[in-house]
C-alpha cells in the first residue's frame, strides 16, 4: 500500500524568504505525485503534479517541486514566500498502476504541513 | 464555469441519526470522489463514482454509502452517526482521462453531538 510522510507539521518563515516543504512517499511502482494547498474553511487546490518526464515540475503561484526517485521524495519549493501563501499544504500520491480503472482518483494524502508567514 | 458545489456547508446532527450530503460536479465531469478530513486521521478516500457506478471504495464501514445520478451529481449518506464521524467531507470531480486532476469543493462540515 502507498503512504506519504510529511515530516514537518508546522513551518514558519518570514515573508520574502525561501520555502521548502518535505514529502516522502512509499509506493512499489511509478507514483503519481501531487501537492495541494488548503486555506481555512476551503477545499483543496492543486498546486502541481508529477506524472512522468521532467523531474522538476512547475506549478501555480510560483511553486515548484522536484521528484527524486532515489530518495522517494517530492519536495515543494518556492524562492520567495508571500503572506498569502500561509495555508496548509498536502502532498499526495496516486497509484499510477491503477489508472486504467480510474483509481488515480484514490489519492493517499500526507498529514499536511501548516505554513505560517511572518511579516 | 461553476466549480464543485457541496451542500449544505455546515450540518449538526446527533448520534444515531443519518445524514445525506450533496455534491454537484463541474459541468462535464463524470467522476466524483469523496474524502473525509479529520484532525486525527487527515484526508481519507471514501469512494469514487463514475457514470452512476461506484468504481472504488476506501476502508470505511458500510454505514458510509453513496450514489451518483445520471446528471453526475452525487450524494453520500452516513447512517447511525457516531461522534467520530464529525469531519469535513470533501467532494472532488474530474474529467475521465489519465492525467486529469481533481477539483475539490469547499466541503460540508459535519458535527455529530
Amino acid at each position: 500500500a502507498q503512504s506519504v510522510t510529511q515530516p514537518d507539521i508546522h513551518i514558519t518563515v518570514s515573508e520574502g524568504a525561501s520555502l521548502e516543504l518535505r514529502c516522502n512517499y512509499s509506493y512499489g511502482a511509478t507514483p503519481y505525485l501531487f501537492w495541494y494547498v488548503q486555506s481555512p474553511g476551503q477545499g483543496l487546490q492543486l498546486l502541481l503534479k508529477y506524472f512522468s518526464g521532467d523531474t522538476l515540475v512547475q506549478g501555480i503561484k510560483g511553486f515548484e517541486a522536484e521528484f527524486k526517485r532515489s530518495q522517494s521524495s517530492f519536495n515543494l519549493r518556492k524562492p520567495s514566500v508571500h503572506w498569502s501563501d500561509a495555508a496548509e499544504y498536502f502532498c499526495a500520491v496516486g497509484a499510477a498502476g491503477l489508472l486504467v480503472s480510474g483509481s488515480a482518483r484514490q489519492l493517499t494524502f500526507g498529514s499536511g504541513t501548516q505554513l505560517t508567514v511572518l511579516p | 464555469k461553476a466549480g464543485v458545489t457541496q451542500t449544505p456547508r455546515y450540518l449538526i446532527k446527533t448520534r444515531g441519526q443519518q445524514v445525506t450530503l450533496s455534491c454537484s460536479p463541474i459541468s462535464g465531469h463524470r467522476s466524483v470522489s469523496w474524502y473525509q478530513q479529520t484532525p486525527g486521521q487527515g484526508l481519507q478516500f471514501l469512494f469514487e463514482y463514475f457514470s452512476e457506478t461506484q468504481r472504488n471504495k476506501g476502508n470505511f464501514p458500510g454505514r458510509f454509502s453513496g450514489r451518483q445520478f445520471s446528471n453526475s451529481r452525487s450524494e453520500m449518506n452516513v447512517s447511525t452517526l457516531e461522534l467520530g464521524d464529525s469531519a469535513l467531507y470533501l467532494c472532488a470531480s474530474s474529467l475521465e482521462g489519465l492525467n486529469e486532476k481533481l477539483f475539490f469543493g469547499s466541503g460540508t462540515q459535519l458535527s455529530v453531538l
Side-chain angles (χ1 to χ4, degrees):
Chain A
Q2 62 247 42
S3 66
V4 178
T5 302
Q6 293 181 247
D8 304 306
I9 297 174
H10 194 183
I11 283 184
T12 300
V13 299
S14 297
E15 191 170 17
S18 63
L19 172 71
E20 182 169 27
L21 303 182
R22 296 183 291 166
C23 172
N24 292 98
Y25 69 90
S26 174
Y27 183 63
T30 302
Y32 279 18
L33 296 161
F34 307 82
W35 274 101
Y36 283 87
V37 61
Q38 185 179 35
S39 298
Q42 299 298 313
L44 300 166
Q45 182 183 24
L46 180 67
L47 288 174
L48 47 78
K49 61 184 180 182
Y50 171 78
F51 280 178
S52 64
D54 193 348
T55 57
L56 185 61
V57 181
Q58 301 297 320
I60 62 171
K61 304 184 180 186
F63 286 93
E64 67 176 26
E66 185 170 13
F67 171 58
K68 293 186 177 179
R69 186 186 299 275
S70 62
Q71 298 177 20
S72 296
S73 69
F74 189 58
N75 294 347
L76 182 71
R77 300 192 296 247
K78 186 170 185 177
S80 177
V81 171
H82 188 262
W83 64 266
S84 61
D85 293 325
E88 189 156 21
Y89 292 79
F90 293 92
C91 181
V93 62
L98 297 176
L99 274 182
V100 174
S101 68
S103 295
R105 282 78 176 172
Q106 181 177 354
L107 300 182
T108 298
F109 285 87
S111 55
T113 297
Q114 182 67 48
L115 174 65
T116 298
V117 180
L118 300 177
Chain B
K1 188 183 270 193
V4 178
T5 304
Q6 291 187 247
T7 57
R9 186 72 179 88
Y10 300 95
L11 206 50
I12 299 175
K13 293 286 187 179
T14 56
R15 278 183 303 172
Q17 287 187 311
Q18 74 166 18
V19 67
T20 299
L21 312 181
S22 179
C23 172
S24 293
I26 292 172
S27 178
H29 288 194
R30 294 164 64 193
S31 169
V32 174
S33 304
W34 288 89
Y35 286 81
Q36 181 197 63
Q37 185 177 23
T38 60
Q41 299 297 317
L43 280 151
Q44 294 183 287
F45 173 80
L46 280 157
F47 28 65
E48 186 220 355
Y49 285 86
F50 179 78
S51 291
E52 303 178 64
T53 300
Q54 185 182 88
R55 194 156 59 172
N56 203 14
K57 190 179 191 316
N59 189 25
F60 278 83
R63 299 186 297 107
F64 291 81
S65 63
R67 59 177 176 169
Q68 186 179 33
F69 301 95
S70 58
N71 62 357
S72 295
R73 189 177 70 85
S74 176
E75 290 181 347
M76 67 162 283
N77 184 276
V78 188
S79 62
T80 319
L81 284 166
E82 300 176 359
L83 296 179
D85 297 333
S86 296
L88 179 66
Y89 290 89
L90 292 166
C91 166
S93 73
S94 72
L95 293 168
E96 179 69 355
L98 296 184
N99 293 336
E100 295 302 334
K101 64 182 185 181
L102 297 178
F103 291 84
F104 283 84
S106 297
T108 293
Q109 183 67 54
L110 172 65
S111 297
V112 182
L113 306 178

